[in-house]
Amino acid sequence: MKKKAYFKADEADTGLGKFKGLEVHIGTIVDDEWDEPMGPTPMPNPTDLRAWDHKLLNRYHPSYMPYCQVCCLCTFGKCDLSGDKRGACGIDIKAQQARIVLAAANIGCAAHLAHARHLVDHLIEEFGPRTELIQGPGTEIHAPVSRLVTGMRPRTLEDAAIIVSYCETQLAHTLSATHTGQEGSWLDFESKVLHAGMVDQVGMEIADLVQISTMGFPKADPEAPLVQSGIGMMDTNKAIILTIGHNIVPAASITDYITEKKVGNKVEVGGMCCTAWDITRRDPSAKVVGPISWQLRYIRSGKADVIVVDEQCIQVNVVNEAKKVKAPVISTSDKAVMGLPDRSDDPIDSIVEELVSGKIDGAFIHDHHKVGEVATKVALAIMPKRRKMKFFPSKKQIQKMAEECKKCSECIRACPNDQPVMEAVLAAQLGNFEPLREVYQNCIGCARCESACPNDYDLHSWMVVAAQADCKDETHMVRTGRGAIQDIEIRNVGQPIVFGEIPGVIAHVGCANYPQGGKDVHDMCEEFAKRRYIIVTSGCAAISAGHVKDENGQSIYERRSGEFDAGGVLNVGSCVSNPHIAGAAIKIAAIFAKRNLRGNYAEIADYIHNRVGAVGISWGAMSQKAASIASGFWRLGVPVIVGPHGSKYRRMLLGKAEEERAWTVYDARTGDRVVVAPGPEHLFYAAETVAEANVLTAKLVIRPNDTGKGRSIKLSHYIDIHEKYYGYFPDDVWKYIRRDTDIPITLKDKIHTQMKENKWKEGRIIDPTLLKEQVMGGGK
Amino acid sequence: MVMRPVPWQTGEICGPESAKSLSKADVLKRDLKLCKKLLLIVGSEAATEKYGKGDMIDYAIALSKAGNMDVIATGGAIKAFVEKGFDRAKSMGAMEVAFRLQDPEWVGPFGKGPYDMIMIYGMPYYMQWTLLSAVMNFGTHITAISISRFFQPHAKWSVPNMKEKQYNALLEDILGLVGGGK
Ligand code: SF4
Ligand code: SF4
Ligand code: SF4
C-alpha cells in the first residue's frame, strides 16, 4: 500500500473520473466530470508564471539588507561580496541575498511538504487511497488553492498524492536553483521565491485537507470548540504528556489511547505550537499549553512527565533539557530523531521499562501506533515520583547565587530582545524579583542569555520562578482551528469585502518571536476586530491572540464570533491551515465574481491583488516556514507585515508611492491605462512597533477596486488609527481620493484643504487589472 | 560592560568592513566638513531613552536645530515630536528609509535631499543593524554615523558601546560640533 502512495502522475487511476492523459509537466489534465474549463497554467513549472511575478516585482522592489557580506556555500569561497565584488562563481551581493531568500523559502516549503507527504502516505496506509476528502459542509469549492494551481480537484487521498508529487517536483527545481552556478539574477531568484511560496500553499492545503477529512477535526466549523489553554490550565494532579511540533499523527495516537483505555481522569495531553491546535481539533479535551517559545519554561518546570516531539520548530536540545527534569523524550519523526535509540520494533513493555527506570533518556519510535501506549504508560508510572521532585531553585537560592554576578553584560548582549537581564539579576541579589518578572514578559525563551553567562546561571529558569504567579494565571479559553471558510460565508461577505465596506481581512499567523511578548498580537487583533475588520488567526499567533483576558475574564475567542464576518475572530488552525486564508480570498473571486479557478493562477492573483483588502501579519515570524508562507501570499498579491525581527529576513518588497509607472493599471472595461492610488503600497514589510504595524495595516487594505463608500470607510479608519498612534492627521489622504464620494463625510473640510494644497485632480473608479489579457475583448 | 568597538549583540557580526570607533566627537570633523546635506533618523526607542533631564527626542530636536537637519522619525516616534511641538520631523518606516537611502537621487519627505550623510539612533539594535547594512552595501553615496550607545558595525562611524555617563558627554560634544562646525 505504501508504495502505491508514490504515484507517478501519468500512471494514476484516480477517482476524478476518466483521465485522458495526465501530463504533470506539460500540465494538461482532463477531469471529464468537471466542466470548468482548464485555465492557462495547470501545474505550472518555475517559469510559467514568471510574467506575473515580474509585474509584482516591477511594482514592489526588493530592498536588500545583507546579513553577511560573504558567501561560504562552496569551496571556491569564502567569497567577499562587499562593494561591487563578485564571488568566484560570478554572483554579486544582490543576487546572493535573493539566493538566501530562496533558500529560506525552499526550506520552509520542504518542511510543510514533507509533512504533507507523511500524512498522505500514512493515511493511505490507514484508510486506503480511495478515501474521500471532505473539507466540510458548505465547501463546494473545496481545496481552492489546489484547484487554482494544479487544475485538479483533489477528491481522494490518491488525488492528494498526485498533487504532492507535483509539489515535490517543483521544490526540487527551485531548490536546485540555489546551487552554485545555477540562477544568477536577483529577479529570477525572486520569481522562484514566489514559486516556492505558491507550491508551499498547495502542500499545506493538502496536509490540512487530508487530516481534516480523516482525523475527526472540525470541518469548516465557525463554532469549533473552545479549549483550555495556558500553563495554568494543566492539571498537575494528572500525569502530563507534552507534545511539541506540527504533526498530529503521533499525538493522535496518545489521545486515542487515553480515550480507548478510559484513563483521561489520570493523564492529560498538552500541546505546544501547531501540534497543540491539531490535537485539540481532534480531541477538545486536550490542551494548548502555549506557543513555541514556551517550550523551555514549561519543560523546565518539570510538570510534563513525558515529552513527545514530532517535527518542526522543536527545541533541538530537548533531550538535555528534559533529562535535567527527569522526563523521558519520545521522538517520532524521521526528520527529528534527536539522537535517541530506535526502539520502534521492540515490545512495548520493554520500551516502557527502560524509560521508566531511566536506563535510556528517551526513545525514537517511528511506529506511531506504539507511541500512545508507551507515552501513556510511562507518564502514569513516573508521575507520582516526579511530583515530589522540585526542579526550580527557590527565590532564596537565586538571591544567593546572584551575588556572584560578574556584571559582564554578556547576558544582555546575547538577548535578541535586548532585555536588561543583568540589572534584573542585580535586583534579585537584593531580593527584588520584579525586574526578572518583567524580563519574563518580553522573553522569547531562547536561553541565549544563559548560554552566554560565564557563571552558567539558569537565567531563563530564574525568570520563570520570578513570574510563577503569571504562569499560574495563564488560564484561557481559545477556539481551536475551524478549518476552511464556508462558501456561504464568502457569499455573504464577498461583496462588502470587494467593495471595501468590510474594510479588510487581517490574518495573524506564524511564530512567537515577539519583540515584546505575545500580548501585542492580541492588541492588534482587537484594534481591528472592534472596527469590524475580519480577523483570521493560525499557528502560534492564534494562541497568543487568545492569551489575554478582558475585564470579564474572557478571551478574544470567547467574546467574538468565529464566523468569517465583520468583527469575527476566527482561528483556522495550525500552520498548514494557512491556505484556508488564501483560499477564502480565492473563493471570493470564484463565488462573487464567478471567475474560473482551474489552473488560472495569474488572473485570480490579479483579482485578489486589486480587489480583496487582505493583509497578513506575522508579528513573531521566525522560521523559514514563515518565509515560505509569506511568499505564497505575495504571489497572490497579498501584502505581509512582520515584526521588527522580520527585518532579519534581509529583504523587503517595497513600493514607491510616487512612482506613477508602477501604479498604472488597465481599466478592464476600456483598456485605458490609468494611474491608481498606491494601494497596497508594500508587499513585504517589517514594522518597528505595533503603532507602525497598525497604521500600515489600515493603509495596506486599500485596493484600487474600492467603491466610493468602501474607500471612505477604509480612509476613516486609516485616519483615526494614524491620529491615535502617530498623533496627527495623515498627510497622504488626498492621494487616495478619486472622487468626492471617497471622502469620509465628517472629515470633509480637512481633506478638501489637503486636496487643494496638493493640486488634486479628479480620478476615475475603474475595473482594475495588471493583465492586458483581462481587458474586455482580450486587450487587443 | 564592553567598551570595544564590537557588535553589541554578540551574534551580529558583519562582513569584511566594519565601522570606525566614534569615541570622540572630533573624529567626525572632516566628514562633517565634506558633507553637503545631513539627515537625522530617529527610531521608536528614542522616546524612552533618557538624555539629561529629558529624553532622546529632546536631543534630536536640539541636534536638528544645531545642525539645520531634517529629521525622519521611524516606528511611530513621530508622535513624541508632534507632542513636543517640533515640526521639522516627518514619519517614515525604518524599512522604507533603508530602501530609499539606496537611491542617490532620493530627495526625502521634505523634498530637500538628496542627502549625503545620515546620523541615526533609537531603533531596536538589530533593526538599525539591518538598515545600516542596506546603506553600507547599496547606499554608498552616504556617510552613515550611528550615534546610538552601542556599536553598529555597518556605519562608517559608530559609538563603540559606551557607559551612560561617557555617552552623554559624547552626545554633548557632537551637538557642539554640529552646531559650531556649520
Ligand atoms: S557559491 Fe559563489 S560566492 Fe558562494 S562561495 Fe561559492 S563561488 Fe563563492
Ligand atoms: S531567554 Fe529571554 S531574556 Fe534570555 S536571551 Fe532569550 S529572550 Fe533574552
Ligand atoms: S552574564 Fe551572568 S555574570 Fe554576566 S552580568 Fe549576566 S548574569 Fe551576571
Side-chain angles (χ1 to χ4, degrees), chain A residues 275-325:
Chain A
T275 297
W277 284 133
D278 289 346
I279 43 164
T280 54
R281 288 163 93 185
R282 180 167 172 79
D283 180 353
S285 67
K287 294 174 182 177
V288 175
V289 181
I292 200 72
S293 42
W294 263 233
Q295 286 183 73
L296 279 186
R297 62 186 67 163
Y298 195 64
I299 294 172
R300 287 182 178 186
S301 74
K303 287 177 184 140
D305 297 297
V306 173
I307 297 161
V308 179
V309 297
D310 51 82
E311 56 178 291
Q312 304 159 32
C313 307
I314 308 158
Q315 180 78 30
V316 295
N317 63 342
V318 62
V319 179
N320 286 338
E321 286 290 341
K323 199 172 165 180
K324 289 189 215 160
V325 293

Coordinates of all heavy atoms in Angstrom, one line a residue, chain A residues 275-325:
Chain A
T275 N 1.1 21.4 16.9 CA 0.5 20.1 17.3 C -0.6 20.4 18.4 O -1.6 19.6 18.5 CB 1.6 19.2 18.0 OG1 2.6 18.9 16.9 CG2 1.1 17.9 18.5
A276 N -0.4 21.5 19.1 CA -1.4 21.8 20.1 C -2.8 22.0 19.4 O -3.8 21.5 19.9 CB -1.0 23.1 20.9
W277 N -2.7 22.8 18.3 CA -4.0 23.0 17.7 C -4.6 21.7 17.1 O -5.7 21.5 17.2 CB -3.8 24.0 16.5 CG -3.7 25.5 17.0 CD1 -2.8 26.4 16.6 CD2 -4.6 26.1 17.9 NE1 -3.0 27.6 17.3 CE2 -4.1 27.5 18.1 CE3 -5.7 25.8 18.7 CZ2 -4.7 28.4 18.9 CZ3 -6.3 26.7 19.5 CH2 -5.8 28.0 19.6
D278 N -3.7 20.9 16.5 CA -4.2 19.8 15.8 C -4.7 18.7 16.8 O -5.7 18.0 16.5 CB -3.2 19.2 14.8 CG -3.1 20.2 13.6 OD1 -4.0 21.1 13.5 OD2 -2.1 20.1 12.8
I279 N -4.1 18.5 18.0 CA -4.7 17.5 18.9 C -6.0 18.1 19.5 O -6.9 17.3 19.7 CB -3.8 17.1 20.1 CG1 -3.1 18.2 20.7 CG2 -2.9 16.0 19.8 CD1 -2.6 17.9 22.1
T280 N -6.1 19.4 19.7 CA -7.4 19.9 20.2 C -8.4 19.9 19.1 O -9.6 19.8 19.4 CB -7.2 21.3 20.8 OG1 -6.7 22.1 19.9 CG2 -6.4 21.2 22.1
R281 N -8.0 19.9 17.9 CA -9.0 19.8 16.8 C -9.6 18.4 16.8 O -10.7 18.1 16.5 CB -8.4 20.1 15.4 CG -8.1 21.6 15.2 CD -7.1 21.8 14.1 NE -7.8 22.0 12.8 CZ -7.2 22.2 11.6 NH1 -5.8 22.0 11.6 NH2 -7.8 22.4 10.5
R282 N -8.7 17.4 17.1 CA -9.2 16.0 17.2 C -9.9 15.7 18.5 O -10.8 15.0 18.5 CB -8.0 15.1 17.0 CG -8.3 13.6 17.0 CD -7.1 12.8 16.5 NE -7.3 11.4 16.6 CZ -8.0 10.6 15.8 NH1 -8.7 11.2 14.8 NH2 -8.1 9.3 16.0
D283 N -9.3 16.2 19.6 CA -9.8 15.9 20.9 C -9.8 17.1 21.7 O -8.8 17.5 22.3 CB -8.9 14.8 21.5 CG -9.4 14.4 22.9 OD1 -10.3 15.0 23.4 OD2 -8.8 13.4 23.4
P284 N -11.0 17.8 21.8 CA -11.1 19.0 22.6 C -10.8 18.9 24.1 O -10.7 20.0 24.7 CB -12.5 19.5 22.3 CG -13.0 18.7 21.2 CD -12.3 17.4 21.2
S285 N -10.6 17.7 24.6 CA -10.2 17.6 26.0 C -8.7 17.8 26.2 O -8.2 17.9 27.3 CB -10.7 16.3 26.6 OG -10.0 15.3 26.1
A286 N -8.0 17.7 25.0 CA -6.5 18.0 25.1 C -6.4 19.5 25.3 O -7.4 20.3 25.2 CB -5.9 17.5 23.8
K287 N -5.2 19.9 25.6 CA -5.0 21.4 25.9 C -3.9 22.0 25.1 O -2.9 21.3 24.7 CB -4.7 21.5 27.4 CG -5.9 21.1 28.3 CD -5.6 21.1 29.8 CE -6.8 20.6 30.5 NZ -6.6 20.5 32.0
V288 N -4.0 23.3 25.0 CA -2.9 24.1 24.3 C -2.1 24.7 25.4 O -2.5 25.6 26.1 CB -3.6 25.2 23.4 CG1 -2.6 26.1 22.8 CG2 -4.5 24.5 22.4
V289 N -0.9 24.3 25.5 CA 0.0 24.8 26.6 C 0.4 26.2 26.2 O 0.3 27.2 27.0 CB 1.2 23.9 26.9 CG1 2.0 24.6 28.1 CG2 0.8 22.5 27.3
G290 N 0.9 26.4 25.1 CA 1.4 27.7 24.7 C 2.1 27.7 23.3 O 2.2 26.6 22.7
P291 N 2.5 28.9 22.9 CA 3.3 28.9 21.6 C 4.7 28.3 21.7 O 5.1 27.9 22.8 CB 3.3 30.4 21.3 CG 3.2 31.1 22.6 CD 2.4 30.2 23.5
I292 N 5.3 28.3 20.6 CA 6.6 27.7 20.5 C 7.7 28.2 21.5 O 8.5 27.4 22.0 CB 7.1 27.8 19.0 CG1 8.1 26.8 18.7 CG2 7.6 29.2 18.7 CD1 7.5 25.4 18.6
S293 N 7.6 29.4 21.9 CA 8.6 30.0 22.7 C 8.4 29.7 24.2 O 9.1 30.1 25.1 CB 8.7 31.5 22.5 OG 7.5 32.1 22.4
W294 N 7.3 28.9 24.5 CA 7.0 28.5 25.8 C 7.7 27.1 26.2 O 7.6 26.6 27.3 CB 5.5 28.3 26.0 CG 4.8 29.4 26.6 CD1 3.9 29.4 27.7 CD2 4.7 30.8 26.2 NE1 3.4 30.6 28.0 CE2 3.9 31.5 27.1 CE3 5.4 31.5 25.2 CZ2 3.6 32.9 26.9 CZ3 5.1 32.8 25.1 CH2 4.3 33.5 25.9
Q295 N 8.4 26.6 25.2 CA 9.0 25.2 25.4 C 9.8 25.1 26.6 O 9.6 24.2 27.5 CB 9.8 24.8 24.2 CG 9.0 24.5 23.0 CD 9.8 24.0 21.8 OE1 10.3 22.9 21.8 NE2 10.0 24.8 20.8
L296 N 10.9 25.9 26.7 CA 11.8 25.8 27.8 C 11.2 26.0 29.1 O 11.4 25.3 30.1 CB 13.0 26.7 27.6 CG 14.1 26.2 26.6 CD1 15.3 27.2 26.7 CD2 14.6 24.8 27.0
R297 N 10.3 27.1 29.2 CA 9.8 27.4 30.5 C 8.9 26.3 31.0 O 8.9 26.0 32.2 CB 9.0 28.7 30.5 CG 7.9 28.9 29.6 CD 7.3 30.3 29.5 NE 8.2 31.2 28.9 CZ 7.9 32.4 28.5 NH1 6.6 32.8 28.6 NH2 8.7 33.2 27.9
Y298 N 8.2 25.6 30.1 CA 7.4 24.5 30.6 C 8.1 23.2 30.8 O 7.9 22.6 31.9 CB 6.2 24.3 29.6 CG 5.1 23.5 30.3 CD1 4.4 24.0 31.3 CD2 4.8 22.2 29.8 CE1 3.5 23.2 32.0 CE2 3.9 21.4 30.5 CZ 3.2 21.9 31.6 OH 2.2 21.2 32.2
I299 N 9.0 22.9 30.0 CA 9.8 21.7 30.2 C 10.6 21.8 31.6 O 10.6 20.9 32.4 CB 10.8 21.5 29.1 CG1 10.1 21.2 27.8 CG2 11.8 20.3 29.4 CD1 11.0 21.1 26.5
R300 N 11.2 23.0 31.8 CA 12.0 23.2 33.0 C 11.1 23.2 34.2 O 11.7 22.9 35.3 CB 12.8 24.5 32.9 CG 13.9 24.3 31.9 CD 14.7 25.6 31.9 NE 15.8 25.5 31.0 CZ 16.7 26.4 30.9 NH1 16.6 27.6 31.6 NH2 17.7 26.3 30.1
S301 N 9.9 23.5 34.1 CA 9.0 23.5 35.3 C 8.9 22.0 35.8 O 8.5 21.8 37.0 CB 7.6 24.0 35.0 OG 6.9 23.1 34.2
G302 N 9.2 21.1 34.9 CA 9.2 19.7 35.4 C 7.8 19.1 35.4 O 7.6 17.9 35.8
K303 N 6.8 19.9 35.0 CA 5.4 19.4 35.1 C 5.1 18.4 34.0 O 4.1 17.6 34.2 CB 4.5 20.6 35.1 CG 4.5 21.3 36.4 CD 3.7 22.5 36.4 CE 3.9 23.3 37.7 NZ 3.9 24.7 37.5
A304 N 5.8 18.4 32.9 CA 5.5 17.4 31.9 C 6.2 16.1 32.3 O 7.4 16.2 32.5 CB 6.0 17.9 30.5
D305 N 5.5 15.0 32.3 CA 6.1 13.8 32.7 C 6.8 13.1 31.5 O 7.8 12.4 31.7 CB 5.1 12.9 33.4 CG 4.5 13.5 34.6 OD1 5.3 13.7 35.6 OD2 3.3 13.9 34.7
V306 N 6.2 13.2 30.4 CA 6.8 12.7 29.2 C 6.7 13.7 28.1 O 5.7 14.4 28.0 CB 6.1 11.4 28.7 CG1 6.6 10.9 27.4 CG2 6.2 10.3 29.8
I307 N 7.8 13.8 27.3 CA 7.7 14.8 26.2 C 7.8 14.1 24.9 O 8.7 13.3 24.6 CB 8.9 15.8 26.3 CG1 8.7 16.6 27.7 CG2 8.9 16.8 25.2 CD1 10.0 17.2 28.1
V308 N 6.8 14.3 24.0 CA 6.8 13.7 22.7 C 7.0 14.7 21.7 O 6.2 15.7 21.6 CB 5.4 12.9 22.5 CG1 5.4 12.3 21.1 CG2 5.2 11.9 23.6
V309 N 8.0 14.6 20.9 CA 8.2 15.6 19.8 C 8.0 15.0 18.5 O 8.2 13.8 18.2 CB 9.7 16.2 19.9 CG1 9.9 16.9 21.2 CG2 10.7 15.1 19.7
D310 N 7.4 15.8 17.6 CA 7.2 15.3 16.2 C 8.1 16.0 15.3 O 9.3 15.7 15.2 CB 5.8 15.2 15.8 CG 5.0 16.5 16.0 OD1 5.1 17.4 15.2 OD2 4.3 16.6 17.0
E311 N 7.6 17.1 14.6 CA 8.5 17.8 13.7 C 8.4 19.3 13.7 O 7.3 19.8 14.0 CB 8.4 17.2 12.3 CG 6.9 17.3 11.7 CD 6.8 16.8 10.3 OE1 7.4 17.5 9.4 OE2 6.2 15.7 10.1
Q312 N 9.4 20.0 13.3 CA 9.4 21.5 13.0 C 9.4 22.3 14.3 O 8.4 22.1 15.1 CB 8.3 21.9 12.1 CG 8.3 21.2 10.8 CD 6.9 21.3 10.1 OE1 6.2 22.3 10.3 NE2 6.6 20.3 9.4
C313 N 10.3 23.2 14.4 CA 10.3 24.2 15.5 C 10.5 23.7 16.9 O 10.1 24.3 17.9 CB 9.1 25.1 15.4 SG 8.8 25.9 13.8
I314 N 11.0 22.5 17.0 CA 11.2 21.9 18.3 C 12.6 22.5 18.9 O 13.5 22.7 18.1 CB 11.4 20.4 18.2 CG1 10.2 19.8 17.4 CG2 11.5 19.7 19.5 CD1 10.5 18.4 16.8
Q315 N 12.6 22.7 20.1 CA 13.9 23.0 20.8 C 14.8 21.8 20.6 O 14.5 20.7 21.2 CB 13.6 23.3 22.3 CG 14.8 23.6 23.1 CD 15.2 25.1 22.9 OE1 14.4 25.9 22.6 NE2 16.5 25.3 23.0
V316 N 15.9 21.9 19.9 CA 16.6 20.7 19.5 C 17.4 20.1 20.6 O 17.9 19.0 20.4 CB 17.4 20.9 18.2 CG1 16.5 21.2 17.0 CG2 18.5 21.9 18.4
N317 N 17.6 20.8 21.7 CA 18.3 20.2 22.8 C 17.3 19.7 23.8 O 17.6 19.6 25.0 CB 19.4 21.1 23.4 CG 18.7 22.3 24.0 OD1 17.6 22.7 23.7 ND2 19.4 23.0 24.9
V318 N 16.1 19.3 23.3 CA 15.0 18.9 24.2 C 15.5 17.7 25.1 O 15.1 17.7 26.3 CB 13.8 18.6 23.4 CG1 14.0 17.5 22.4 CG2 12.6 18.3 24.3
V319 N 16.3 16.9 24.6 CA 16.7 15.7 25.4 C 17.5 16.1 26.6 O 17.2 15.7 27.7 CB 17.4 14.6 24.5 CG1 17.8 13.4 25.3 CG2 16.6 14.2 23.3
N320 N 18.4 17.0 26.4 CA 19.2 17.5 27.5 C 18.3 18.2 28.5 O 18.5 18.0 29.7 CB 20.3 18.5 27.0 CG 21.4 17.8 26.3 OD1 21.6 16.6 26.5 ND2 22.1 18.5 25.5
E321 N 17.5 19.1 28.0 CA 16.6 19.8 28.9 C 15.7 18.9 29.7 O 15.5 19.1 30.9 CB 15.8 20.8 28.1 CG 16.5 22.0 27.6 CD 17.0 23.0 28.7 OE1 16.4 22.9 29.8 OE2 17.9 23.8 28.5
A322 N 15.1 17.9 29.0 CA 14.2 17.0 29.7 C 14.9 16.1 30.7 O 14.4 15.8 31.8 CB 13.5 16.1 28.6
K323 N 16.2 15.8 30.4 CA 17.0 15.0 31.3 C 17.1 15.7 32.6 O 17.1 15.1 33.7 CB 18.4 14.8 30.6 CG 19.1 13.6 31.2 CD 20.4 13.4 30.4 CE 21.3 12.5 31.1 NZ 22.5 12.2 30.3
K324 N 17.3 17.0 32.6 CA 17.5 17.8 33.8 C 16.3 17.6 34.7 O 16.4 17.8 36.0 CB 17.7 19.3 33.5 CG 19.0 19.6 32.9 CD 19.2 21.1 32.8 CE 19.9 21.5 31.6 NZ 19.7 22.9 31.2
V325 N 15.1 17.4 34.2 CA 13.9 17.3 35.0 C 13.4 15.9 35.0 O 12.2 15.6 35.3 CB 12.8 18.3 34.5 CG1 13.2 19.7 34.8 CG2 12.4 18.1 33.1

